[in-house]
């Protein structure tokens, strides 16, 4: 997987804003809802994974 560049991020920001007709509040609300959903999915996956399957790896909810 290649590192994310500034240009990649800028493009994604512009795409997200365009999807919401340049409404920043709607864009942020959608991103927060997505974040909440993904954290819930991560919590469910964590509870379903066996220790042997992932050799001790545990998902983290926060970035370093």
């Amino acid at each position: 997987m290649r590192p994310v560049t500034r240009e990649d991020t800028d493009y994604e920001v512009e795409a997200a804003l365009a999807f919401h007709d340049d409404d920043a509040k709607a864009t942020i609300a959608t991103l927060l809802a997505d974040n909440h959903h993904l954290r819930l999915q991560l919590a469910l996956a964590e509870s379903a994974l066996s220790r042997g399957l992932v050799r001790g790896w545990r998902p983290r909810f926060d970035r370093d």
Side-chain angles (χ1 to χ4, degrees), residues 4-61:
V4 177
T5 66
R6 176 67 182 190
E7 290 80 21
D8 293 334
T9 302
D10 289 346
Y11 177 80
E12 290 178 2
V13 167
E14 292 302 321
L17 284 167
F19 183 81
H20 293 285
D21 298 322
D22 290 328
D23 183 345
K25 285 186 178 184
T27 303
I28 292 169
T30 297
L31 292 172
L32 289 173
D34 288 348
N35 185 36
H36 177 74
H37 172 74
L38 292 172
R39 284 179 170 267
L40 178 60
Q41 293 297 301
L42 185 58
L44 292 171
E46 179 184 29
S47 65
L49 289 173
S50 79
R51 289 266 183 232
L53 177 67
V54 293
R55 298 181 183 173
W57 176 85
R58 293 188 52 91
R60 292 182 304 205
F61 289 89

